[in-house]
Amino acid sequence: MAEAPELEALYQKYEDDGFIVITLLGENMDSQTPSQSDLEEWADSLGVTHPVVADPNFDYTFGFIDGNSIGLPSMHIIAAGGEVVARDIWADENDVQSYLP
């Protein structure tokens, strides 16, 4: 949750340049697959306008993780064309700028 406001600020600043932020939530507070209501509440509570989607059992997230352990949050940069250019980093503005089209 700590990174959400920073990512939202970067999203707002660079959205017109093609930068997209997508937050994947693997579970809700009850360790269940997040419902649409859970996703909306999470986004609203943090003032997030970028997409927030459910990732049941972290299935999609595991595709970016080496090994079988997830350190959350897990942030990745996927460049134009879908190429994963940075895995499990804390992306900052310099990172975003370096991969913009």
Side-chain angles (χ1 to χ4, degrees), residues 2-69:
E3 80 280 0
E6 293 175 40
L7 285 173
E8 179 64 21
L10 290 170
Y11 175 68
Q12 292 296 323
K13 185 171 183 176
Y14 294 105
E15 178 183 17
D16 291 340
D17 296 320
F19 180 65
I20 300 169
V21 172
I22 302 171
T23 295
L24 303 175
L25 296 181
E27 58 187 31
N28 64 15
M29 298 302 281
D30 297 321
S31 300
Q32 302 296 315
T33 297
S35 66
Q36 186 63 38
S37 177
D38 293 327
L39 301 172
E40 291 170 5
E41 286 177 29
W42 190 90
D44 290 346
S45 71
L46 296 167
V48 168
T49 63
H50 63 263
V52 178
V53 298
D55 182 19
N57 302 314
F58 299 99
D59 287 343
Y60 192 77
T61 300
F62 268 118
F64 294 97
I65 304 298
D66 295 325
N68 58 5
S69 177

